[in-house]
Amino acid sequence: MGGSHKQFLGIDLPNSIRHYPLGDQAIVLSFGDVISEAIHIQIRKVITCLENWSQAGVIEYVPAYTTITIYYDPLVITYQELLAALQITLQDISDDFNYRSAKKEIPVYYNGDDLAYVAQYNGLTEEEVIRIHCAREYRVYMIGFVPGFPYLGGMDSRIATPRKEVPRLRIEAGAVGIAGQQTGVYPMSTPGGWQIIGHTPLQLFNLNRENPSLLDVGDLVCFAPIGYEEFMQLKTEANGY
């Protein structure tokens, strides 16, 4: 495992960046140990440089809350060669970096099986949980777990609720859930342990779209409550399940 490297990649970061191997086919760039907007911006700076990077041997990169993992073919490029190439590619990142965040609204029918539990756990009414959940604007910090699943940061701590001790074997596509101080949306049917508070009729992942994932890292998301009739109407439209 590599040690800390201050000013690594020529970027003035709030915390030093560490880099270390993940097996023999990936390198991890670690920007810190806490989820924060400042670290997210630094990760976005690096992503911007990697988007059009044509380095031989690089397969893909995966951003997360505090890291970027870069996968490579060790038969084409070594770990040290990749690290050297990264330093050259990213050394000219501007301190004036700005990026636009797409703002997207997700309609939610708050009928989740765990809505009552989330309310009880936090000493609130179900209506208060819905109001608090819809009042915030959330940042998409990472996409993972299954294709298109957004991990959204910025949720109000008043509705934070632990994951289920025993995960469900099946959660419906479109389910909106809470886990700790995170909220997210299941893009497809899958097992899962998040507390389900509602459902959206929108497809978060569709291979027939030019960009299969409705949400991207860095997007800003807000939730809008809808009733049953609107939920069913949207489900029958082309963008629904």
Side-chain angles (χ1 to χ4, degrees):
M1 307 285 281
S4 296
H5 292 251
K6 293 184 177 180
Q7 301 296 321
F8 172 60
L9 306 180
I11 309 169
D12 184 16
L13 295 172
N15 302 294
S16 60
I17 294 179
R18 294 183 302 120
H19 62 81
Y20 53 87
L22 182 65
D24 62 354
Q25 299 182 47
I27 178 173
V28 178
L29 306 182
S30 177
F31 294 73
D33 300 316
V34 297
I35 299 171
S36 74
E37 188 75 8
I39 286 179
H40 175 72
I41 290 173
Q42 299 302 332
I43 289 175
R44 290 290 300 176
K45 286 184 179 182
V46 175
I47 289 174
T48 298
C49 287
L50 296 180
E51 284 176 347
N52 299 313
W53 198 32
S54 58
Q55 174 62 46
V58 172
I59 299 170
E60 66 174 340
Y61 62 89
V62 180
Y65 279 115
T66 61
T67 63
I68 301 174
T69 302
I70 302 173
Y71 294 89
Y72 64 94
D73 183 346
L75 298 179
V76 177
I77 188 170
T78 68
Y79 180 89
Q80 291 300 328
E81 289 171 341
L82 177 58
L83 183 59
L86 278 168
Q87 290 172 320
I88 294 172
T89 300
L90 303 178
Q91 65 184 353
D92 295 325
I93 289 180
S94 172
D95 290 335
D96 297 327
F97 169 86
N98 286 300
Y99 73 94
R100 296 185 198 175
S101 299
K103 294 187 178 183
K104 297 173 182 177
E105 182 178 278
I106 296 180
V108 179
Y109 176 41
Y110 284 92
N111 66 333
D113 292 340
D114 303 314
L115 179 58
Y117 176 76
V118 172
Q120 179 185 23
Y121 181 86
N122 291 285
L124 301 168
T125 66
E126 294 182 20
E127 291 73 20
E128 287 173 325
V129 171
I130 296 170
R131 178 179 56 78
I132 292 170
H133 190 254
C134 292
R136 289 287 183 95
E137 196 170 60
Y138 301 89
R139 176 76 68 185
V140 180
Y141 279 101
M142 61 181 287
I143 302 288
F145 170 51
V146 293
F149 187 104
Y151 287 83
L152 306 177
M155 193 180 73
D156 195 311
S157 61
R158 289 178 293 171
I159 56 174
T161 311
R163 288 176 171 85
K164 286 184 169 296
E165 293 184 7
V166 179
R168 288 186 174 92
L169 294 178
R170 182 180 183 275
I171 291 180
E172 292 181 17
V176 178
I178 288 175
Q181 291 195 219
Q182 301 175 108
T183 187
V185 186
Y186 284 80
M188 58 190 67
S189 178
T190 177
W194 290 40
Q195 306 287 351
I196 304 305
I197 61 173
H199 295 83
T200 180
L202 301 187
Q203 277 192 332
L204 266 70
F205 189 80
N206 185 338
L207 287 172
N208 294 321
R209 292 193 296 241
E210 181 177 355
N211 182 1
S213 182
L214 179 66
L215 302 177
D216 296 311
V217 172
D219 284 352
L220 292 172
V221 174
C222 63
F223 294 103
I226 59 174
Y228 175 75
E229 290 185 2
E230 186 175 358
F231 174 76
M232 294 304 297
Q233 179 182 346
L234 289 171
K235 283 193 71 169
T236 63
E237 296 179 358
N239 65 335
Y241 288 101

